[in-house]
Amino acid sequence: MRVGIAWLILLGASFAWASPATLGGDFTLRTTKNQEVSLSSFEGKVVLLYFGFTHCPDMCPTELLQFKQVLAMLPADQRARVQPVFISVDPKRDTAEVLDPYVGFFDKRILALTGSEAELHKVAGQFGAHFRYVPTGSSYTVDHTVNMFLINPRGKLVRIIPYGTPTEDVLKQVTALLPDSASE
């Protein structure tokens, strides 16, 4: 257990060495309906991006709940310009039959994406995120970066939001990026 906690601390601390200006970029992954989606598909929208997996006991459900809360707190016209994205880093277990109901439980507007393990490592690396599979007896868990990535309407990563940031603070950061709210 201590190794897992140390790994999560290391993953969160890895952002101290990289700034959002050097991270990010376009990528293409697949939806649960096997349709390719690129980050550039969301031009004009603020994107909240999170890397996780459905068997995650704590952090992933907390972040997905926060996605739901942020959407609920936005006026309808602004809500339409925000796209939460959950990238599953566990393609072996997180099939379409698992991912769809999982993210849908939190909010049907959350888009679930995944890819091959190699594709996922590449995309995670673009954002300075990391994940690794850790055996747990007859199964495994996934240690992963637990921060949220805030991407402006032009597709540029502008902020890495630490896990545990209050929802009201996330909401302020999102609304500051909406075209009518402030200049980007």
Side-chain angles (χ1 to χ4, degrees):
M1 184 66 173
R2 288 182 187 202
V3 171
I5 291 170
W7 178 253
L8 287 174
I9 291 168
L10 175 64
L11 293 177
S14 68
F15 295 110
W17 300 308
S19 83
T22 61
L23 297 174
D26 200 15
F27 61 83
T28 301
L29 292 172
R30 285 174 300 289
T31 68
T32 57
K33 305 214 181 334
N34 205 30
Q35 298 169 321
E36 287 190 346
V37 172
S38 298
L39 179 60
S40 58
S41 306
F42 305 114
E43 187 172 328
K45 292 187 176 192
V46 172
V47 175
L48 292 167
L49 182 68
Y50 186 78
F51 295 89
F53 68 114
T54 64
H55 287 74
C56 181
D58 300 316
M59 287 136 184
C60 296
T62 300
E63 291 301 294
L64 289 170
L65 181 59
Q66 190 167 55
F67 280 177
K68 176 183 179 158
Q69 291 169 337
V70 167
L71 288 173
M73 295 167 84
L74 287 166
D77 63 320
Q78 290 182 339
R79 191 178 313 125
R81 293 182 280 152
V82 176
Q83 180 59 63
V85 176
F86 177 79
I87 297 178
S88 169
V89 294
D90 188 6
K92 184 176 179 182
R93 291 185 296 199
D94 289 350
T95 63
E97 296 77 23
V98 173
L99 260 175
D100 264 347
Y102 180 76
V103 296
F105 172 79
F106 294 96
D107 196 298
K108 297 205 182 300
R109 295 168 290 200
I110 300 170
L111 179 64
L113 297 176
T114 194
S116 69
E117 188 176 337
E119 290 169 323
L120 294 167
H121 275 291
K122 181 179 181 228
V123 173
Q126 284 177 235
F127 288 84
H130 306 281
F131 65 93
R132 68 182 180 132
Y133 305 108
V134 180
T136 59
S138 62
S139 188
Y140 65 94
T141 190
V142 184
D143 284 345
H144 62 94
T145 300
V146 296
N147 296 321
M148 186 185 310
F149 301 87
L150 182 61
I151 300 162
N152 74 14
R154 293 185 306 233
K156 182 177 188 265
L157 175 64
V158 294
R159 187 159 290 117
I160 298 167
I161 302 173
Y163 177 80
T165 298
T167 302
E168 294 76 17
D169 292 346
V170 174
L171 179 66
K172 286 178 192 173
Q173 293 175 52
V174 167
T175 56
L177 293 176
L178 291 169
D180 296 336
S181 302
S183 64
E184 298 170 46

